[in-house]
Amino acid sequence: MTPTPSFAAYVGAHWAAVVIYVIATVVNVYGLLFRSEPAERWSYRLISVGWMIHSVVIAYWWWVTGHGPYLSRNEVLSSDAWIALTVFMCFQHLYPRVRPASVVVFPSVFLMIALGLFFDVQIRTLPPTFSGIWLVIHIAFYKIALGTILIALACSIFLILKKRMSFAWLQRLPDLESLDLHAYRFAGFGFIIWAIAMLAGSIWAYKSWGRFWGWDPVENWSLITWILFGIHLHLRRFFRWSGERAAWFYLVCFFFSLVALFYTSHMDTSIHMEYFR
């Protein structure tokens, strides 16, 4: 039996999550700026509440639509935000020194959800080609990559700010060497995850369209982004790039990743556009 969708409940629950994420972000930034551990703890409690609401609404919509959250623009942005936050929450537990990255990750999460809510909320029919494990891997790993490169972005931004400014709150961040190391490691992790996503996508394309690679704008920009990340890592590993110079180059790589993830799939010349019309 097909469930009757409640668009009002879906939108309302998303906005509730956004409000909680915004409050958590404000409390988190306050805790970081004024070194208030109680505020930081409360921010993580709030973000966990928002995450649970967000998880329930994604699961509900999955049940209603009968497919994963990867078809409409609203679903894509919501699931991008959910996975990015989940990735960060896992890593901040394993590596507490990356917790300041929350001031970049938390706003990114609620902005993605809020942006998605401005698109029409609708139930889309799953195309026949949108099936199989390779599609799931392809989509999931790009979303995981986004979570990892957001952490690297935060570390790179902090490094640049700490080198150029002398605000008191910047001194509470990890030292420059730690920021540089975490930016390097998370960029490397994102590079590997991105490669897996591309490989899975090419296998899915072969099963769906009979070819591994068709020089579609999505494929081209994804490859360009991956090569740029590879150049970034190569310069760091073999040419001893580090610190501010590497951080600035990473910002360029991150910009290209945003184009690849959020823009190219909606270009009229892309075959992927057919799934978002």
Side-chain angles (χ1 to χ4, degrees):
M1 180 179 177
T2 303
T4 303
S6 174
F7 293 97
Y10 176 78
V11 173
H14 264 104
W15 278 118
V18 168
V19 170
I20 294 172
Y21 285 154
V22 170
I23 296 172
T25 300
V26 173
V27 175
N28 181 261
V29 171
Y30 174 86
L32 179 66
L33 292 180
F34 297 99
R35 191 174 287 181
S36 173
E37 292 186 4
E40 287 194 55
R41 286 196 299 270
W42 270 105
S43 72
Y44 280 94
R45 291 169 185 166
L46 288 169
I47 213 74
S48 297
V49 173
W51 180 87
M52 287 187 286
I53 295 173
H54 196 181
S55 301
V56 170
V57 73
I58 286 179
Y60 165 74
W61 202 245
W62 196 325
W63 175 62
V64 168
T65 61
H67 59 74
Y70 45 68
L71 197 52
S72 72
R73 298 179 185 184
N74 174 272
E75 295 168 0
V76 169
L77 287 167
S78 178
S79 57
D80 283 347
W82 186 87
I83 291 182
L85 180 58
T86 302
V87 168
F88 171 75
M89 294 299 283
C90 291
F91 277 117
Q92 66 84 24
H93 180 73
L94 295 172
Y95 306 103
R97 292 181 71 85
V98 304
R99 284 180 180 171
S102 59
V103 300
V104 171
V105 176
F106 290 177
S108 300
V109 166
F110 72 70
L111 286 173
M112 280 190 284
I113 301 173
L115 178 62
L117 289 171
F118 285 100
F119 292 106
D120 289 337
V121 178
Q122 54 185 300
I123 296 178
R124 301 289 304 279
T125 303
L126 189 69
T129 55
F130 260 55
S131 61
I133 187 62
W134 291 110
L135 171 67
V136 175
I137 296 173
H138 170 58
I139 295 173
F141 273 73
Y142 270 124
K143 294 178 185 292
I144 294 171
L146 175 61
T148 60
I149 63 178
L150 272 174
I151 299 174
L153 173 68
C155 293
S156 298
I157 292 174
F158 290 155
L159 189 150
I160 293 170
L161 291 176
K162 201 167 183 179
K163 286 277 288 185
R164 291 175 171 265
M165 301 178 182
S166 57
F167 295 121
W169 68 270
L170 288 172
Q171 305 311 311
R172 303 186 188 114
L173 297 174
D175 57 80
L176 292 173
E177 290 74 16
S178 295
L179 289 172
D180 191 47
L181 179 62
H182 282 102
Y184 180 29
R185 287 178 173 175
F186 279 99
F189 188 44
F191 174 77
I192 295 170
I193 298 300
W194 196 287
I196 296 172
M198 278 202 308
L199 177 61
S202 65
I203 296 174
W204 167 61
Y206 178 75
K207 291 181 176 294
S208 299
W209 304 320
R211 48 80 170 170
F212 287 103
W213 196 269
W215 301 107
D216 182 85
V218 171
E219 298 166 347
N220 295 340
W221 278 88
S222 184
L223 178 62
I224 291 169
T225 300
W226 183 71
I227 290 173
L228 280 174
F229 276 120
I231 292 172
H232 169 75
L233 296 171
H234 187 80
L235 291 172
R236 295 199 64 140
R237 177 66 179 84
F238 296 103
F239 291 86
R240 305 302 179 188
W241 275 39
S242 61
E244 193 174 2
R245 179 168 58 171
W248 279 112
F249 190 83
Y250 179 82
L251 295 186
V252 175
C253 297
F254 185 79
F255 171 78
F256 274 81
S257 73
L258 293 181
V259 174
L261 290 172
F262 297 111
Y263 177 70
T264 56
S265 59
H266 304 299
M267 295 174 63
D268 290 335
T269 54
S270 171
I271 192 173
H272 292 73
M273 180 62 184
E274 296 300 322
Y275 299 115
F276 295 99
R277 290 188 186 278

